[in-house]
Each structure stands twice: as structure tokens, then as C-alpha cells.
Amino acid sequence: FFFSSRRRHTRFLPVSWARRCVQETVPIPTKGDVKQISAGFQHSLFLTNQGVAYAAGRNNWRQYDAINENKLQEKVISDYYFSIQKIELLDHFITKVSAGFHHSVYLTKQGKIFSSGLNNYGQVGVLSLIHI
């Protein structure tokens, strides 16, 4: 196994590191089929035929947790979720998902685009460094 960094150095990882990666079946709590998967740096998004999105992985920049402004004040934001989390997108039917490095983007049937996560280069579409 090897790892390439931004500096173009290559470092070989020990075999013991690879043994810690365990394959496991994790059910998504939905009756429909998953039609799209998108993987970011440390989070993944799953979209079902019913237009409902789910996410798993790291959430340190609110990559998938801060979409519903009404519930933002009620929720305790977690850095990691070890189970699948349902994306609360104001009751919109989601047609596409895309996971970026530390952000996520959602396209709805109504043609609206929602995004959340780190915004240090404007990747979530606002002129602010805060995570939306």
C-alpha cells in the first residue's frame, strides 16, 4: 500500500494498517434502492429512489448535518457518525448528490441546489468562511 501526499512523496503504509480496514455490511434504513453514491474525503452520501439522501463518516465541517436551518439549533453536531444519518433537506425530493472534499451539494426535483460544509474557497456558494 502506498499513500501520495500533495508534496508528491510516496510513503508505504505497513500491512498492519490495511488489516484494520474491515469490510462490513451496513444497512441503509430505507425501503427503496440506493441509486447514487458519492464519496468525499472522509464522508459518503447515498441517494435512494425515493429522493431521500443518507450520509456516513466524518462531519467536522458539517458536511451533511446543517442543511435544515429549523433543526440546526436543536441538534448537537458530531465530528463522526458511526451509523448512517438521514439528510434533512426541508422536505425536498433530492435527485442528485455530490460529496466534495469537506462539503456536500444536493440538487432537488424543484431545481434548487443546497450545499453545506467547509467554505474556505466559496465551494458552498456563499461569500463567507463559515460552514453553512
Side-chain angles (χ1 to χ4, degrees), residues 21-73:
C21 300
V22 178
Q23 291 184 359
E24 190 177 322
T25 302
V26 178
I28 295 178
T30 181
K31 294 178 182 175
D33 294 331
V34 173
K35 73 173 193 175
Q36 184 189 357
I37 298 171
S38 182
F41 176 59
Q42 293 176 323
H43 74 289
S44 298
L45 302 174
F46 311 93
L47 179 62
T48 67
N49 289 331
Q50 288 84 19
V52 178
Y54 294 88
R58 193 146 194 211
N59 192 39
N60 57 324
W61 292 102
R62 295 183 181 170
Q63 291 91 312
Y64 57 85
D65 204 67
I67 301 294
N68 190 340
E69 293 178 9
N70 297 330
K71 291 196 174 188
L72 180 58
Q73 300 302 323

Side-chain angles (χ1 to χ4, degrees), residues 94-105:
I94 302 169
T95 57
K96 300 274 184 190
V97 295
S98 182
F101 194 74
H102 286 303
H103 69 285
S104 300
V105 181

